[in-house]
Amino acid sequence: MNKLKKLIRGLHLLIKKPSLINLILEDNEQYREIAIKRHQLENGLQQVDFSAIATGNKLTVDPFSFLDGTSLPTDFALLRSLAERFKVKTYLEIGTWRGASVANIAQIVPECYTLNLPDEKLREMKLGENYIQSHRFFSKNLKNVKHLFGNSHQYDFEKLDKKFDMIFIDGDHHYEAVKKDTETAFKLLRDENSIIVWHDYAYSPEKIRWGVMLGILDGCPPDKRNKIFHVSNTLCAVFCNEKFETKTLVPYTLPSKKFKLDIHIQNTGIPDQT
């Protein structure tokens, strides 16, 4: 089930029955207990400071919608920084949504692929037409972006005859789905310099989403687990062979840096819907 649909359904249920919030919290806590027992990571993944990865002190994020279901600006800035730092030539994304993430990457990477459920499947799921039409909004006309359609758990990636320098996983965030997408991603990496980024490793930059973390680690080859880390000020986890200085996440620690956002508004040409 798409994450936005799950969010809408969940909010509807919470409005009708607020006590359900306890089940959500307990579910995350149960995954936390399993993750600690299985991987001995009581405080989640080790954290790398955003500044250690960022390519310079001035980063551009474009496009960005500030609408429901989108990433943080720092998430897109991280993707762009990684693509620049590692001179990424081929990029694969699982989970397209509005296409903002791949549209950011396409300005840097010459060959981009993004996979999402086909519109027909979304209609079968009784999702609204505006929601369906929002998919690929920012990426549909980009010449260096190839849109793939299917379920990542059944999709035949071998027919692409392609390996990737960078893979961004932002599809189904249930444990089993994350685990499967992670297993797939490691098989599709080009070489030891290739990167994987997982979105929604955390609910917020300081609150871990334990089911996603467990799916990442259980889907990762055991000898690669010590090369996965959380990037501060983002919702992302990253696999990378480069060595970075790491630290343990301490929630509510005093900010070691601040960000300045200069917001430029551009009309998309789509009239406001009333």
Side-chain angles (χ1 to χ4, degrees):
M1 186 184 297
N2 184 279
K3 62 182 179 181
L4 185 58
K5 181 181 178 184
K6 290 187 288 183
L7 174 62
I8 294 170
R9 181 181 177 188
L11 289 174
H12 178 69
L13 291 172
L14 287 175
I15 290 170
K16 293 177 63 177
K17 193 172 182 181
S19 62
L20 287 175
I21 190 66
N22 294 325
L23 296 178
I24 297 173
L25 295 174
E26 288 173 3
D27 185 57
N28 195 48
E29 182 60 28
Q30 288 173 359
Y31 276 122
R32 178 178 181 273
E33 292 175 1
I34 296 171
I36 292 172
K37 182 177 181 180
R38 191 173 294 172
H39 299 288
Q40 294 78 51
L41 292 171
E42 185 173 355
N43 299 297
L45 298 173
Q46 283 292 292
Q47 190 177 82
V48 170
D49 192 273
F50 187 95
S51 298
I53 293 178
T55 48
N57 293 325
K58 187 174 182 179
L59 305 170
T60 299
V61 172
D62 177 28
F64 194 82
S65 66
F66 286 100
L67 294 175
D68 283 350
T70 194
S71 304
L72 296 178
T74 47
D75 296 333
F76 288 168
L78 171 66
L79 291 176
R80 293 178 68 116
S81 289
L82 287 168
E84 289 178 347
R85 182 183 188 123
F86 291 95
K87 298 178 174 57
V88 170
K89 300 300 182 184
T90 54
Y91 170 86
L92 170 67
E93 179 174 275
I94 297 176
T96 308
W97 189 205
R98 292 188 186 92
S101 50
V102 72
N104 269 273
I105 287 295
Q107 299 169 38
I108 302 166
V109 178
E111 191 174 4
C112 300
Y113 294 76
T114 182
L115 173 69
N116 205 74
L117 293 174
D119 292 352
E120 295 77 14
K121 182 63 177 179
L122 298 177
R123 291 188 178 96
E124 289 177 11
M125 297 165 65
K126 307 299 183 183
L127 295 168
E129 197 60 28
N130 280 348
Y131 171 76
I132 294 170
Q133 292 302 316
S134 292
H135 284 75
R136 306 177 298 281
F137 181 86
F138 292 110
S139 59
K140 59 186 176 183
N141 295 321
L142 299 178
K143 294 182 179 180
N144 61 328
V145 176
K146 183 175 180 59
H147 294 88
L148 310 174
F149 298 97
N151 186 319
S152 63
H153 302 161
Q154 287 89 42
Y155 191 84
D156 181 13
F157 287 99
E158 289 188 3
K159 68 182 181 182
L160 297 177
D161 192 26
K162 185 74 60 178
K163 295 292 184 179
F164 298 93
D165 301 316
M166 183 172 169
I167 299 175
F168 182 44
I169 299 177
D170 191 19
D172 188 335
H173 291 84
H174 285 92
Y175 163 78
E176 290 291 348
V178 175
K179 180 175 181 287
K180 176 63 175 176
D181 285 341
T182 299
E183 292 170 345
T184 298
F186 273 99
K187 296 175 183 176
L188 294 172
L189 294 181
R190 182 186 300 278
D191 54 35
E192 66 277 2
N193 296 316
S194 301
I195 311 156
I196 301 175
V197 182
W198 294 265
H199 197 244
D200 292 319
Y201 155 78
Y203 288 109
S204 73
E206 296 182 296
K207 185 178 181 183
I208 298 165
R209 190 166 179 169
W210 290 95
V212 172
M213 190 192 91
L214 189 61
I216 292 171
L217 293 175
D218 286 356
C220 173
D223 63 324
K224 307 291 187 184
R225 289 173 184 158
N226 64 343
K227 298 174 183 177
I228 298 176
F229 51 82
H230 171 222
V231 179
S232 73
N233 306 96
T234 78
L235 307 182
C236 298
V238 174
F239 163 77
C240 176
N241 278 306
E242 184 168 330
K243 292 183 178 180
F244 293 99
E245 183 178 345
T246 63
K247 64 180 181 180
T248 301
L249 170 65
V250 179
Y252 307 114
T253 187
L254 294 177
S256 62
K257 71 186 72 61
K258 65 178 182 177
F259 297 82
K260 177 181 177 180
L261 302 180
D262 294 319
I263 298 177
H264 302 266
I265 302 172
Q266 295 176 315
N267 198 316
T268 65
I270 303 296
D272 290 335
Q273 296 175 324
T274 58

